[in-house]
Amino acid sequence: ANEAAHQRFRQSATDEEKRCLPKHDGESDISLYRALEQLREPLSFDELAGDGFSPQENRARVTHAPGNWSTAVSGHVMRGGRHFVEFAITSGD
């Protein structure tokens, strides 16, 4: 199984994906291939904590009512490469 995961990773990962997924000491190829699958999934917020959140159709977008405390948490682990985030803060006024 580990060899099969190694082959799939080598054959399917792009150069950019390989740069973003350095293999850690002692990490299995199965774990590395799973990290590749997760990297290809759209980023989503797994947990919303606080008050004022609206129901979400798109788990990568959070709508929040003003005046309440809150946080949105993603379980995605960033292993390497370049990372950034964009916030669009708008007012309903």
Side-chain angles (χ1 to χ4, degrees):
N2 200 56
E3 181 58 30
H6 176 75
Q7 293 295 328
R8 292 191 72 155
F9 182 86
R10 276 195 19 224
Q11 292 170 357
S12 69
T14 65
D15 290 340
E16 178 65 23
E17 289 170 332
K18 289 175 185 175
R19 281 191 293 276
C20 291
L21 296 169
K23 188 171 181 182
H24 300 300
D25 290 338
E27 181 176 30
S28 72
D29 290 309
I30 294 170
S31 178
L32 186 61
Y33 186 68
R34 176 66 184 129
L36 175 64
E37 290 178 331
Q38 289 174 328
L39 180 68
R40 291 175 172 172
E41 293 174 9
L43 182 63
S44 65
F45 295 109
D46 304 318
E47 186 175 339
L48 304 177
D51 298 319
F53 285 112
S54 300
Q56 306 301 308
E57 287 183 32
N58 179 345
R59 292 184 55 176
R61 177 177 278 173
V62 175
T63 303
H64 181 266
N68 297 304
W69 72 270
S70 61
T71 189
V73 179
S74 172
H76 185 80
V77 176
M78 295 184 278
R79 297 169 52 122
R82 197 179 264 187
H83 311 293
F84 70 94
V85 64
E86 265 183 39
F87 291 97
I89 301 173
T90 59
S91 174
D93 297 337

